[in-house]
Amino acid sequence: MNNIKDSDIMKQIEFELEEKHVEEVIHTIKDEILKYVDKRKQFTDYLLEYRKKAIEEYKDDEDKIIEYFDHERFIKEEAYKSFDRKLIELTKLKVSPYFGSVEFKEDKFAPEKMYIGRFGLTLEDEYEPIVVDWRAPIASLFYKGKIGKSSFEAPDGKIEVDILKRNQYVIKSGELKGLFSSEKDVKDEILQEILCSNTSEKLKDIIMSIQEEQDEIIRLPYNKSSIVDGVAGSGKTTIALHRIAYILYNYRKQLEDKVLIFGPNMIFMDYISNVLPELGETGVPQDTFHEFVIKALKLKSVNSYDIFLSSIFHNDDEFINDYKFKNSAEFKCKLDNIIKDLENNLLATEDIVFRDRLVASKEEINEMFLEYYKSMPLYRRSRKIRRILFNKLTSIRNEIFYEIDREYKEELNKLSDSERNIQENNIALNRRMKIEELIRNVMKAKDELAYLKGENILKYYDEINNEKDLNHQDLAPIMYLELKLNGIRHDGEIKHIVIDEAQDWTNLQLEVIKEYTKCNNFTIVGDCNQSMLPMDRENVLNNFESILDNNILKFKLNKSYRSTKEIMEYANELVVNTDIVPLVRSGEKVKVEEKVKVENLAQKIEEFYNKSKEKGYETSAVICNSIAFSKEIKNKLSKELDVKLIDSEEVYLNKGNIIIPVCYGKGLEFDAVMMITEEFDTPKAQYVMATRALHELTHLKL
């Protein structure tokens, strides 16, 4: 009994000490905010004073004045950007300065205690940080799985330490609300609290609850490519986004403005849009493959991704077969053979002769094609050779012109003054006619070399495509031809690419993005059980290794943190190849209704929304198999019921009642889900529907 009381007393003392530490740190943060506001003002005053002097000095030189203001604007923007960034960080820290601490000991040194926060805080002229940024290498100690011997990667190499204790804090509005000692396993009380809370219309960061296996991936060097095959709810998206925040923090000079994110659709991109800004990173481009290629190639006649999805989910056999074929190894082989045929057709079959003079022999031309410029894309190669031949033609033209001019002068010199008066005009006319004929001959010769300009790729692809409408499955092949024939490349420099929901990417998509951007470093995350598009191969993620030519690190994440144990066990039964380990978080049993009549759907859906609202859920979603069926369901509901239909990429999520087709559900999560399925719905589609639910799942089978 005394031991229990002593333990409680020690906990209370520790809580009060930590409470005092929170107050001290927040007081320091407030002082820092005032300092930065004052620094910003001083900088503004300095600029104003300096501007007065500059204007007075350069008042008679307009160019100098313009140059000064351009320079001042740049300096001001950069300085204000730095001040404002720090002020934003300090303002966020003021509310919750840190979320964890770790006590550790290096060999021969006294024990240290380090507090971990969203952002770091080190006072001017001081070495020891008050709060360590979660992205700092040493902060990895907080995310280790156990107390005891451990290590972290410092700039000078690995440092061995002994972890003595780890604390987690709940600090809200500047007040310490909770203190937990934790070994960061799945029984972590804070993790349970986070997972049991309701979701919102935006994805949240997970810095407080990053697990050890997630942290290992996040902290990889930026030049290491990784493929993460993770089950639904394993945190793949949040891992990828936190990885971006980590590498930008640690490799900012190398990577700033050089990172690119690909997601499955614009709804998803909007859903994740808050995470990086909350972690202090802004301006990282986010796009879908579909939109990225359309913009890169300036295509104007491609059907929208919505139309593509509708054709797939309406089970249009002809369309699906076309999709499969254009993303097959067989089709890529066909494209390569076409390129080879084009090369063979461009090879010279005879010498190029101009007015009985040899411009270039066929052997010389073919040697340029097959040896000298072999590394160049075909049409760039042919245009290069065409320019060389034009230069040779120009040289011969100049020789002939000089001969005509010499003959003209010689003929004039032979004439007496009286003969010149009579014949000079005729001789000049003859000269002009010879020159005009020479020009016509040159133009004709150049026209005969027009085939070396190369075809318009889109026009050429239309012939391959039998003039059919262009769809999503045509984008990768078109870009492949543009790369191989015209050698296009991305304007900017990209050094790291993140691809989320990669299970619906194809080898050709990855190959063209890699070649177009010249980027060799990728973070690819996906779940093969959530593949929504028809593929001939079961696990597409395994096929990506052959395309990424640097050292690939592969990770398999089986632990799900999203849904309750009951929901994940139900989802496990829907697909064959899954080995999900659900977090021990129990909830309500999954409600299943068989042979539900369509005419009863409206009543059941309205009851579902009402019950979800009574339980305090923030987001409640009805998920079905297609955009068309989603619209049909929406039309059945009472007009007075506030329901948002997600029927295109232009519609974004918000809180409340949602109707959404499964094709737009990838990566999203909702407090309560009602999935409506028909007999022909694939197990994978049903699996995706089920795994969107956090707390409650209802399954209506029509």
Side-chain angles (χ1 to χ4, degrees), residues 228-488:
V228 181
D229 186 359
V231 299
S234 57
K236 300 181 295 295
T237 298
T238 44
I239 288 170
L241 294 173
H242 285 67
R243 173 149 171 68
I244 291 173
Y246 172 80
I247 62 177
L248 285 173
Y249 176 84
N250 287 282
Y251 307 96
R252 192 167 301 281
K253 287 184 179 179
Q254 300 98 311
L255 295 185
E256 192 157 34
D257 303 323
K258 297 177 179 66
V259 177
L260 177 61
I261 304 172
F262 284 108
N265 54 62
M266 297 313 295
I267 298 167
F268 177 85
M269 304 312 287
D270 178 67
Y271 178 63
I272 68 172
S273 61
N274 275 5
V275 176
L276 284 173
E278 282 297 312
L279 297 172
E281 301 300 341
T282 57
V284 179
Q286 302 178 15
D287 218 332
T288 64
F289 177 85
H290 190 93
E291 293 301 320
F292 183 83
V293 174
I294 285 175
K295 286 182 284 190
L297 302 183
K298 298 180 175 61
L299 299 175
K300 296 179 181 178
S301 56
V302 182
N303 285 333
S304 71
Y305 194 63
D306 293 338
I307 291 175
F308 164 77
L309 290 175
S310 293
S311 300
I312 292 290
F313 287 97
H314 272 93
N315 294 313
D316 183 332
D317 289 338
E318 182 181 348
F319 190 89
I320 289 171
N321 289 334
D322 185 65
Y323 172 80
K324 284 184 175 180
F325 177 61
K326 286 176 179 170
N327 288 296
S328 66
E330 181 186 352
F331 186 67
K332 183 172 180 289
C333 186
K334 179 180 178 180
L335 293 177
D336 288 333
N337 288 335
I338 288 168
I339 293 168
K340 188 65 180 174
D341 289 342
L342 287 172
E343 183 179 68
N344 291 334
N345 291 337
L346 289 173
L347 294 177
T349 56
E350 56 185 29
D351 299 340
I352 295 178
V353 178
F354 181 76
R355 290 209 179 176
D356 298 326
R357 303 187 190 203
L358 182 66
V359 177
S361 68
K362 63 181 181 182
E363 290 80 13
E364 183 184 356
I365 296 168
N366 292 339
E367 192 173 34
M368 286 190 283
F369 261 112
L370 301 175
E371 291 186 32
Y372 292 154
Y373 305 115
K374 186 179 180 180
S375 62
M376 294 176 68
L378 182 60
Y379 284 164
R380 281 183 59 191
R381 199 187 325 166
S382 65
R383 288 192 288 270
K384 170 81 172 177
I385 293 168
R386 181 168 168 264
R387 289 194 298 272
I388 291 171
L389 295 177
F390 275 16
N391 288 336
K392 287 177 174 288
L393 269 172
T394 301
S395 296
I396 294 173
R397 180 206 66 188
N398 291 342
E399 289 175 9
I400 296 173
F401 173 81
Y402 292 139
E403 288 176 8
I404 292 170
D405 211 40
R406 189 182 67 254
E407 289 173 0
Y408 166 72
K409 290 175 181 177
E410 286 177 354
E411 201 167 349
L412 281 181
N413 290 335
K414 291 177 183 177
L415 300 176
S416 62
D417 290 343
S418 59
E419 288 174 328
R420 179 175 293 190
N421 290 335
I422 298 170
Q423 298 183 38
E424 185 174 8
N425 288 340
N426 288 334
I427 295 170
L429 178 62
N430 186 45
R431 172 182 175 272
R432 187 167 66 250
M433 290 174 63
K434 286 181 179 180
I435 292 172
E436 287 176 354
E437 184 183 10
L438 174 63
I439 293 170
R440 284 195 298 272
N441 292 159
V442 170
M443 290 175 65
K444 182 182 177 185
K446 287 184 175 181
D447 286 343
E448 289 172 353
L449 295 174
Y451 72 96
L452 291 173
K453 287 194 300 184
E455 298 277 357
N456 177 289
I457 301 296
L458 199 55
K459 180 182 176 183
Y460 185 70
Y461 186 80
D462 283 338
E463 294 176 12
I464 300 171
N465 197 39
N466 297 319
E467 307 294 333
K468 292 187 294 187
D469 287 348
L470 296 178
N471 283 287
H472 180 71
Q473 64 265 32
D474 298 301
L475 295 176
I478 291 171
M479 181 166 256
Y480 185 75
L481 290 175
E482 285 282 5
L483 288 163
K484 297 302 179 185
L485 297 177
N486 285 324
I488 60 169

Side-chain angles (χ1 to χ4, degrees), residues 19 73 78 86 214 230 316 319 344 374 398 517 694:
E19 204 171 30
R73 190 177 296 113
E78 291 302 306
K86 194 63 185 177
Q214 297 171 331
D316 183 332
F319 190 89
N344 291 334
K374 186 179 180 180
N398 291 342
T517 60
L694 271 73

Side-chain angles (χ1 to χ4, degrees), residues 198-230:
N198 290 337
T199 187
S200 68
E201 71 273 20
K202 300 288 186 185
L203 188 66
K204 303 169 185 173
D205 67 68
I206 59 168
I207 53 170
M208 287 180 66
S209 58
I210 294 171
Q211 301 299 291
E212 186 176 12
E213 71 273 17
Q214 297 171 331
D215 192 59
E216 180 186 356
I217 301 167
I218 290 169
R219 293 179 187 273
L220 292 173
Y222 86 88
N223 55 0
K224 285 284 186 184
S225 286
S226 58
I227 297 175
V228 181
D229 186 359

